[in-house]
Amino acid sequence: MEIKVLQDILSANDAIARKNQSRLNKHGILTINVMSSPGAGKTSLIMQIISQLREKARIAVIEGDVASTIDADKVSKQGVTVVQINTAGGCHLDANMTENALNNLPLDDIDLLLIENVGNLICPAGFALGEHKRVILLSLPEGDDKAYKYPSMFTQADVVLINKIDLLPFLEFDIASFSNAISGLNPEVKIFQVSCKTGQGLEDWLSWLQEQIKEMKSHHGS
Ligand code: MG
Ligand code: ZN
């Protein structure tokens, strides 16, 4: 019985997520769901994307947090449109919350929508929002065993960013074994080593992102 309830919740969520995605397609908005544990660097990543791509794409952000507007305030200072979702204790965003956020965004004036999910390496993976791509950040201090401990997050990722690569000299993190574990779970995944703090390694990831924006425009151009 309990399993059936969970399936109903997830299928209702998926239906709204599909609706969100066709709405985003209609407006040609590439939408990225950014997920990680707390402190892995989601907000720093979003700030880097804004500062590097703001001349090239119109960017908007949905900030998901359990409480507070700390991250939304940071993003908003960059002059980018931001909608805050407070989940009031909820540990992930869902498609319904995302739909509400879309209702409050100027969809005709956006090329790239970044969704910062609630910091959590477990259940956000189960809830589609309508995004086109899933980007998972894993930062070096979290350890290189996380692909084995939280596999569902990584099997559904389009991109894994290994963040805080500037800390490599100070930590015992085996990049090769972590990358092999992810590729074993998910052979299609793209892996980039970056530091959102120093900017190291961001170039390749940002050109991948720009490629996706271009592709979205060519399919659904606005
Ligand atoms: Mg954040
Ligand atoms: Zn949750």
Side-chain angles (χ1 to χ4, degrees), residues 30-46:
L30 178 75
T31 301
I32 308 284
N33 184 359
V34 182
M35 296 180 275
S36 76
S37 9
K42 294 183 295 306
T43 310
S44 306
L45 175 72
I46 286 170

Side-chain angles (χ1 to χ4, degrees), residues 47-64:
M47 301 293 273
Q48 282 283 3
I49 295 170
I50 293 170
S51 78
Q52 307 284 328
L53 297 189
R54 63 185 316 151
E55 308 295 325
K56 296 170 178 141
R58 298 166 298 172
I59 302 170
V61 178
I62 298 174
E63 280 293 340

